[in-house]
Amino acid sequence: MFFVINKIEHAVHRNDGLHNPKNPSNPMVLGIYRTQSKTALFTVYSKKAYGEFWDEATQKKIPRRFWIPEMKAFASQKAAEAPQPPFIFKLTVVGWIFVALMIATMGLIVYQEVKPPVPKSAIYTAMEKAPVVGDIFFGHYEKYKEKRTPIGAEIGFGWFKIVKVEGSDFYLSKSMEMSKTSKPKEQLNSSDYETETLPALQLSEQTGYNIRFKSADGLTEVYISEKK
């Protein structure tokens, strides 16, 4: 972001009763100025004007440490008579856009904080409930002979039914119709289940999107994606 400081000249004054304190033979003038600061976002004028004495012959500014009291009084008088600036602070077009974006951003943050939570879907709410006997779920299971060894592993997709719960142990029966590949749940039987259950499983993960059961030995896992 660029930053520019300009010195705006308001007036030039001469006073024949004042003499140049550095070079008495050279005439001097009093310039009255105001500072203008500009950035891409805003423009600022200094509230007060100020004076500078200049040697007309050398075109050099006379340092303030050489000013006599009469020079200081004359400079203060003429600075006070300087016209007021058109404004003190003003936003540019880019500045207004920036402010609008900041307000919109802050408003969005506040809205995100105070807005009511999005209602949970019926499917999400159902998946959050603690599994009980009689619940029917859709998903898939993986049963290994050796932990995480795919050789001889048994994998199936379909429906599962909780037939018994003992403490933290869940006993699930597989549907009579299980698929070796993933299929839409509507294409698989959800009414008939095997009498034999999978090994005792513990609930290892549960959210509104998935439920995961896992056996103590880690050889059997059931991944649930939907509740009937």
Side-chain angles (χ1 to χ4, degrees):
M1 181 175 66
F2 74 87
F3 186 85
V4 179
I5 297 178
N6 298 316
K7 186 166 72 173
I8 309 298
E9 184 179 86
H10 282 302
V12 175
H13 301 281
R14 289 179 171 80
N15 187 330
D16 295 335
L18 296 176
H19 300 286
N20 190 330
K22 287 200 68 179
N23 298 295
S25 60
N26 292 347
M28 66 177 182
V29 294
L30 172 69
I32 301 299
Y33 307 96
R34 192 181 303 277
T35 300
Q36 180 198 61
S37 302
K38 300 184 71 174
T39 74
L41 302 180
F42 57 82
T43 300
V44 177
Y45 281 95
S46 59
K47 190 173 183 180
K48 293 183 178 181
Y50 61 94
E52 292 180 352
F53 283 98
W54 290 80
D55 187 314
E56 280 196 293
T58 63
Q59 295 297 305
K60 292 182 178 180
K61 186 169 65 172
I62 301 172
R64 195 173 182 86
R65 65 178 181 276
F66 293 106
W67 290 15
I68 60 176
E70 290 80 6
M71 292 171 65
K72 294 178 181 178
F74 183 62
S76 296
Q77 175 193 344
K78 294 304 180 181
E81 294 174 358
Q84 293 298 310
F87 53 84
I88 299 299
F89 178 88
K90 186 177 182 180
L91 289 170
T92 64
V93 173
V94 175
W96 279 111
I97 294 173
F98 178 79
V99 170
L101 289 174
M102 289 298 296
I103 292 174
T105 300
M106 292 302 298
L108 181 60
I109 292 173
V110 172
Y111 172 73
Q112 293 292 339
E113 291 294 326
V114 302
K115 73 174 184 179
V118 178
K120 297 178 181 179
S121 67
I123 294 175
Y124 187 99
T125 302
M127 290 283 283
E128 281 188 315
K129 292 181 179 178
V132 296
V133 173
D135 283 349
I136 296 175
F137 299 101
F138 181 78
H140 79 277
Y141 78 99
E142 299 173 1
K143 191 174 181 181
Y144 300 90
K145 291 183 177 180
E146 295 182 22
K147 188 177 292 187
R148 291 298 177 187
T149 301
I151 299 176
E154 182 181 333
I155 298 175
F157 295 82
W159 293 90
F160 302 86
K161 184 176 183 180
I162 297 180
V163 296
K164 186 170 63 172
V165 178
E166 292 182 349
S168 61
D169 292 334
F170 293 82
Y171 294 87
L172 280 67
S173 290
K174 307 192 306 288
S175 168
M176 297 291 289
E177 180 188 357
M178 299 296 289
S179 172
K180 292 184 178 181
T181 59
S182 178
K183 288 185 178 181
K185 61 181 184 297
E186 294 81 9
Q187 296 182 11
L188 298 173
N189 187 334
S190 63
S191 302
D192 303 311
Y193 294 87
E194 297 178 355
T195 56
E196 183 181 354
T197 67
L198 293 169
L201 304 170
Q202 289 79 47
L203 187 63
S204 62
E205 182 182 359
Q206 182 175 17
T207 69
Y209 300 102
N210 70 287
I211 300 174
R212 183 181 178 187
F213 295 97
K214 189 175 183 179
S215 63
D217 59 12
L219 297 178
T220 303
E221 295 185 52
V222 177
Y223 300 87
I224 302 300
S225 58
E226 188 173 331
K227 182 178 180 181
K228 186 176 181 181

